Amino acid sequence: MEMRSAGGGQRDGQGPRRRREIVAAVQRLLGEWGSSDRLTMRAVAKEVGISAPSIYLHFNDKTELVWAALEERYGELAAQMEAAAQAGDDTDPRARLRARAHAYCRFAMSNPGQYRLMFEVRQPTADPSRISGHPARHISTSLRTGLRSCEENGFGLSLPVDQATQTLWAGLHGIVSLHHSLYRDESSEKLVLQLADGLVDSLTVGRPGAFLPAESASETEASRRIRELRGVPEPDGPQP
C-alpha cells in the first residue's frame, strides 16, 4: 500500500522532519504505556503539538503508525543477528545460524521492555494482505537466510524452509518469553543459549559422516539444568 507522506510533507511544509517527530512521539508513548491499545491519532498529535488530521498527511492509519515506530527496533535486532552471523565461522553454516539465534536471545534478554513491545503485546490488527509489510519480516528473513545457507551447504532440514523458519522463530520466542516470565531474576543466559542450539540442531540434520557427540541425546547439560530448576529427580529416580 502506498503511503501519503510525500504529498503530505509538501502540504504541511514539514516533510521528513515532521514524520520523524511523529514517529518519535509514538515511540515515547509506546514506551510509557507498554502497549498500543491506548494509542490514538489524537494522543500522538497532542504529544507532537499538531492537529490530529495532520497525522494523516504522513500515515494512513494507526497500524502504519505503530509499525513505523517499531521499525527501528526490528532493524536493530536484525542487524545484530546479521553481525553475529558474519562474525561466525564462515565454513560452518550451522554455527552461523546458531549465532543468529544467540543474537536474537541476547537482544531479548538485554532489552526486555523493547522486546515485549515488539513481540509480546498486541499490536493493531491488520488485514492479512498487509502482514508482509510488518517490520518483523527482517527477523524471519535473517533466520530463513541462515537455514537456506545450511541447506545449500549440504545440511538437510527436518522441515520445509519456511516452516523451519517459523518453527525456529516461535521456539526462540518461547524460550525468551519463559525467561522473562519465570527466570528473569536468575542468570540463565547459558541455559537459554543451549536451548536455542537445541532448536537449531533439531531443524538442521548433520551431514553424512558428521561427528556425533558422545553425550546421549536423552541427557544433556541443558536437560539437567531444566530438571534442577523444576526440582525433578535424576532420570533413574521416581518421575513426577
Side-chain angles (χ1 to χ4, degrees):
M1 177 168 50
E2 198 169 286
M3 295 177 61
R4 290 179 280 184
S5 55
Q10 293 172 354
R11 287 194 295 273
D12 69 7
Q14 301 297 329
R17 184 176 69 83
R18 177 67 78 204
R19 180 184 168 87
R20 289 194 296 270
E21 290 174 351
I22 294 169
V23 168
V26 177
Q27 290 171 340
R28 289 194 299 272
L29 293 174
L30 289 176
E32 178 183 345
W33 295 336
S35 166
S36 66
D37 290 347
R38 293 170 55 189
L39 193 75
T40 63
M41 296 301 196
R42 187 178 298 278
V44 175
K46 181 179 179 181
E47 182 75 9
V48 179
I50 59 177
S51 65
S54 296
I55 303 290
Y56 290 100
L57 300 177
H58 303 272
F59 298 95
N60 291 320
D61 55 22
K62 176 178 172 178
T63 295
E64 200 171 84
L65 191 58
V66 171
W67 290 5
L70 294 177
E71 173 82 35
E72 183 178 338
R73 301 292 174 257
Y74 290 108
E76 180 184 354
L77 171 53
Q80 290 183 20
M81 293 169 68
E82 185 61 27
Q86 293 302 318
D89 182 354
D90 61 6
T91 67
D92 187 346
R94 185 157 62 179
R96 294 198 301 273
L97 179 57
R98 289 194 191 108
R100 292 177 191 271
H102 287 191
Y104 181 100
C105 293
R106 286 188 171 118
F107 177 93
M109 289 186 288
S110 300
N111 305 278
Q114 291 183 24
Y115 185 83
R116 288 190 176 96
L117 279 173
M118 292 161 65
F119 295 113
E120 295 180 2
V121 297
R122 184 175 59 191
Q123 295 185 19
T125 301
D127 186 273
S129 64
R130 298 177 63 185
I131 201 64
S132 63
H134 195 289
R137 68 188 182 279
H138 302 311
I139 312 308
S140 60
T141 296
S142 179
L143 294 175
R144 187 178 296 104
T145 297
L147 285 161
R148 285 199 185 280
S149 179
C150 287
E151 191 173 39
E152 291 166 358
N153 283 276
F155 287 91
L157 299 184
S158 58
L159 294 169
V161 66
D162 288 322
Q163 184 179 354
T165 299
Q166 197 68 21
T167 299
L168 178 55
W169 188 5
L172 294 175
H173 173 69
I175 290 168
V176 297
S177 294
L178 286 172
H179 169 82
H180 289 156
S181 299
L182 302 177
Y183 309 130
R184 60 185 179 276
D185 295 327
E186 178 180 350
S187 179
S188 57
E189 178 177 313
K190 184 177 181 181
L191 173 60
V192 167
L193 299 184
Q194 288 170 336
L195 292 172
D197 287 345
L199 275 171
V200 170
D201 292 350
S202 69
L203 291 167
T204 55
V205 182
R207 286 170 286 195
F211 172 76
L212 296 177
E215 192 169 31
S216 168
S218 63
E219 178 63 14
T220 65
E221 183 179 349
S223 67
R224 286 193 293 270
R225 183 63 181 133
I226 293 169
R227 208 168 41 250
E228 287 175 14
L229 292 170
R230 294 176 56 214
V232 177
E234 292 294 317
D236 56 354
Q239 297 297 302

